[in-house]
């Protein structure tokens, strides 16, 4: 369980010298280039942060950046932690707890995902409107620290409706095509079988991936507003399921990253 005082938090508080981020950003596979839109004030490799988990996946740099997008102070994670790497749910969501302790109230999460919705194409941007937790675990299992949040967390609006509306408007104004959909999060590391993709579509998911859900659960536990966005990097649609590799996922994600970054930058900088 996350407790304060905490060595990572104490280290960051000393280094940040009063810099107070308002937005947290977690960048998914192949989507780390958003950091080029940040005027960086402080940057740390995960390795230099005391008690911070280390990133092991290709495409995840493992850098924590503090700086400004426009006039907005942000904290961005270039590289996240996944359940399939062997991390506990508490380790995966530790950075979200840190964000909250540093004063962040708004979280943006991005990921690469496989699309089951027959209207989807490879390269589509999907604004996440809801999720289905299919991980065999939940970061809130165990004793609840009521200082951090309630025992039973309301998830009726996990993805902030006002953020979704604003993002849709920005996409329209910026001629960025987008879909909206439900993200199913599961452990991986296998990609899905055709039968699993079919099952996921039938239970109401439009896209599937191996991240995001744990971080969003902890963000909601902490009372944050959340915005989530997926790049559809491959398809699990009946008759269209092709072989998928991590390299393909990274390639598609990287190609769509500029549009995704435009959307996120405008979401942060444009007034509500
Ligand atoms: N399944 C699970 N995770 C993924 C996929 C997928 O098809 N694509 C990218 N991440």
């Amino acid at each position: 369980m996350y407790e304060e005082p905490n060595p990572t938090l104490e280290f960051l508080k000393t280094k940040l010298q009063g810099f107070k981020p308002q937005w947290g950003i977690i960048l998914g596979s192949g989507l780390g280039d958003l950091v080029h839109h940040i005027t960086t004030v402080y940057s740390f490799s995960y390795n230099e942060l005391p008690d911070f988990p280390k990133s092991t996946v290709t495409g995840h740099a493992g850098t924590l950046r503090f700086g400004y997008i426009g006039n907005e102070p942000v904290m961005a994670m270039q590289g996240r932690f996944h359940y399939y790497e062997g991390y506990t749910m508490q380790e995966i969501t530790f950075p979200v707890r840190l964000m909250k302790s540093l004063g962040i109230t708004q979280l943006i999460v991005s990921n690469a995902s496989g699309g089951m919705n027959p209207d989807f194409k490879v390269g589509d941007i999907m604004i996440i409107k809801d999720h289905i937790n299919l991980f065999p675990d939940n970061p809130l299992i165990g004793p609840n620290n009521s200082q951090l949040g309630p025992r039973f967390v309301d998830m009726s609006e996990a993805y902030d409706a006002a953020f979704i509306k604003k993002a849709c408007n920005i996409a329209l104004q910026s001629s960025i095509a987008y879909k909206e959909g439900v993200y199913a999060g599961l452990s991986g590391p296998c990609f899905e079988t055709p039968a699993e993709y079919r099952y996921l579509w039938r239970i109401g998911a439009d896209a599937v991936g191996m991240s995001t859900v744990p971080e969003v659960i902890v963000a909601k536990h902490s009372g944050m507003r959340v915005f989530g966005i997926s790049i559809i990097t491959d398809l699990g649609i009946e008759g269209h399921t092709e072989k998928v590799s991590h390299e393909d996922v990274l390639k598609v994600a990287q190609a769509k990253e500029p549009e995704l970054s435009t959307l996120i930058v405008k979401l942060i900088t444009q007034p509500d």
Side-chain angles (χ1 to χ4, degrees):
M1 205 191 346
Y2 182 80
E3 296 284 357
E4 290 180 19
N6 167 292
T8 323
L9 183 64
E10 297 314 306
F11 174 89
L12 286 173
K13 277 186 173 164
T14 310
K15 296 279 182 186
L16 293 179
Q17 303 189 4
F19 177 88
K20 289 221 180 310
Q22 294 294 302
W23 297 80
I25 307 172
I26 302 177
L27 299 166
S29 302
L31 299 169
D33 281 353
L34 175 92
V35 296
H36 298 135
H37 296 265
I38 301 176
T39 308
T40 304
V41 181
Y42 303 102
S43 172
F44 306 97
S45 149
Y46 292 172
N47 296 322
E48 64 183 299
L49 298 172
D51 281 15
F52 201 75
K54 312 287 171 246
S55 188
T56 70
V57 192
T58 320
H60 288 261
T63 312
L64 197 59
R65 266 172 212 265
F66 295 84
Y68 292 91
I69 294 183
N71 293 322
E72 297 289 314
V74 306
M75 164 176 170
M77 286 181 75
Q78 199 178 4
R80 60 149 60 86
F81 305 109
H82 302 86
Y83 197 67
Y84 63 75
E85 293 176 87
Y87 294 112
T88 64
M89 283 282 171
Q90 282 67 32
E91 287 170 319
I92 293 165
T93 55
F94 175 71
V96 181
R97 295 285 185 210
L98 273 184
M99 286 175 179
K100 179 66 183 184
S101 298
L102 290 168
I104 288 173
T105 52
Q106 304 162 106
L107 177 68
I108 298 178
V109 285
S110 68
N111 61 54
S113 64
M116 285 84 68
N117 185 322
D119 290 338
F120 286 7
K121 297 183 307 300
V122 166
D124 275 352
I125 288 176
M126 184 186 90
I127 293 174
I128 303 175
K129 57 180 188 188
D130 204 350
H131 76 215
I132 301 176
N133 180 17
L134 294 175
F135 284 88
D137 204 347
N138 185 306
L140 303 181
I141 288 175
N144 185 58
N145 179 346
S146 56
Q147 306 286 86
L148 302 179
R151 169 77 290 185
F152 301 104
V153 182
D154 175 70
M155 294 295 279
S156 60
E157 192 184 319
Y159 298 82
D160 188 87
F163 277 160
I164 293 175
K165 194 165 166 222
K166 185 174 171 186
C168 292
N169 286 334
I170 290 167
L172 286 172
Q173 286 158 17
S174 314
S175 304
I176 295 173
Y178 70 94
K179 304 282 190 346
E180 283 180 77
V182 173
Y183 175 89
L186 35 68
S187 74
C190 301
F191 291 112
E192 290 65 37
T193 64
E196 286 165 343
Y197 282 124
R198 197 159 57 236
Y199 157 78
L200 292 165
W201 170 240
R202 287 200 182 152
I203 65 166
D206 298 284
V208 56
M210 307 174 195
S211 68
T212 302
V213 167
E215 293 111 314
V216 172
I217 289 173
V218 166
K220 294 310 291 179
H221 184 243
S222 322
M224 292 186 190
R225 293 175 68 195
V226 175
F227 177 73
I229 193 154
S230 281
I231 301 286
I232 306 299
T233 54
D234 52 277
L235 297 175
I237 297 172
E238 228 161 349
H240 299 275
T241 306
E242 288 176 0
K243 276 202 175 8
V244 44
S245 70
H246 185 55
E247 289 67 33
D248 296 336
V249 166
L250 289 182
K251 224 182 280 170
V252 177
Q254 273 155 5
K256 296 301 287 189
E257 183 280 328
E259 277 180 77
L260 188 92
S261 290
T262 301
L263 205 57
I264 293 178
V265 166
K266 289 188 175 176
L267 186 78
I268 290 175
T269 54
Q270 285 191 3
D272 283 336

